[in-house]
Structure formats: C-alpha cells, structure tokens
Amino acid sequence: MSKLKWSFDYCSAWNRGTALYVQWANRHGISYPRLMVLYALMTAGEMTQKEICEGFGLVKQTVNTVVRDLKKNKYIILKAGQADRREKKISLTGEGRIYAEKWVNPLLKTEKRIFEIIGCERMKQMQDTLELFNILFENEMRGDKQE
C-alpha cells in the first residue's frame, strides 16, 4: 500500500468516527458540541472548558456557548480553580446530571455494545496507539522530531 493511500485511509477512518458521533447526535436531537460537553462532564467529572476543548477537539467559542447555555438552565456550576482562580471548573448539578443522562446514557450503551464486540484488549490497543500517534504528532508540530 502506498504511503499516500495509507495516510488517506487512516485520516478517513479517524474522521469517519467523529462523523458518526455527529450523526448520532443529530439523530437524537442534540448538537454534537452539546453532547460532547455533557459526555465529558458525565464520564470525566469536573473539567475546565480548556480540558473539554483539548479532549474533544472542540473550538473554545463553541464550548463557551454550550457552557453559558447549560449554566443559564442551571445544569452546571462553575467553580474557581485552585491553581488558577480565573480558570473555572465545570461540574453538573443534580438536575444537570439527570439532563446529561438523558442524552449520554444511550450513547454509552451504544459504545458498550460495540466495545463488547471488539473486546477489551483490542480497544486498549486502539486507545494506546491513538494516544501514541497524538503524542508523536504534537512533537512533530513543535519540531521535536524523534528519529
């Protein structure tokens, strides 16, 4: 297989996964960014907007818009961070957890069924490989080429 074909296949597979999450969100009547913010808060707990942006590849302004709306509806609370008081930690309120579960639990059940088919070992290998790819890509972007 040529290097260009492999690059296309890899990038296409990666982006197809994201596109499937976007389609899932649309079919369930929620925007992808809103779903991912709720997903992040349900699965990882308290997070900052920056952590959500970096972890899910979302634009800062988009996350900020979602956060403002969730706060307005009393689904989340913002707390000043311990290290940097300007950086706010976001967490779900009780009502917010109920709201998030409505959207996120069906997705988690879908993922669980898929993970069970693939198997824990292969899922762990995929995660480890993607994390390594991301580290190496970040190094390349910084000019820290490792030969």
Side-chain angles (χ1 to χ4, degrees), residues 1-17 130 133:
M1 179 183 317
S2 77
K3 289 180 183 179
L4 287 177
K5 173 73 171 127
W6 184 90
S7 292
F8 171 82
D9 289 347
Y10 171 78
C11 195
S12 178
W14 177 299
N15 289 306
R16 179 77 178 127
L130 286 173
F133 179 91

Side-chain angles (χ1 to χ4, degrees), residues 24-129:
W24 190 97
N26 290 338
R27 286 184 183 178
H28 288 84
I30 187 171
S31 74
Y32 173 73
R34 188 177 192 91
L35 176 64
M36 289 298 101
V37 169
L38 294 171
Y39 185 100
L41 295 173
M42 266 197 63
T43 58
E46 190 176 78
M47 297 183 79
T48 65
Q49 288 187 43
K50 182 179 179 183
E51 291 169 333
I52 294 169
C53 291
E54 290 173 355
F56 291 86
L58 298 171
V59 176
K60 184 179 178 181
Q61 184 57 43
T62 302
V63 171
N64 186 263
T65 299
V66 171
V67 165
R68 279 195 329 258
D69 186 63
L70 292 172
K71 184 175 184 237
K72 182 180 83 177
N73 289 295
K74 298 182 176 25
Y75 293 140
I76 60 169
I77 55 173
L78 305 175
K79 295 181 271 183
Q82 292 178 332
D84 184 350
R85 310 246 348 128
R86 294 170 296 168
E87 196 167 64
K88 306 289 187 222
K89 290 283 191 178
I90 307 163
S91 58
L92 293 166
T93 63
E95 187 178 343
R97 178 153 293 285
I98 292 167
Y99 175 76
E101 287 172 351
K102 169 186 168 186
W103 299 107
V104 177
N105 280 350
L107 176 57
L108 292 173
K109 287 178 185 172
T110 299
E111 289 176 333
K112 184 176 186 262
R113 287 191 301 272
I114 295 164
F115 294 167
E116 287 172 352
I117 292 168
I118 294 172
C120 287
E121 186 175 325
R122 287 179 67 193
M123 288 303 301
K124 179 69 174 134
Q125 288 172 348
M126 183 175 76
Q127 179 185 352
D128 291 345
T129 301

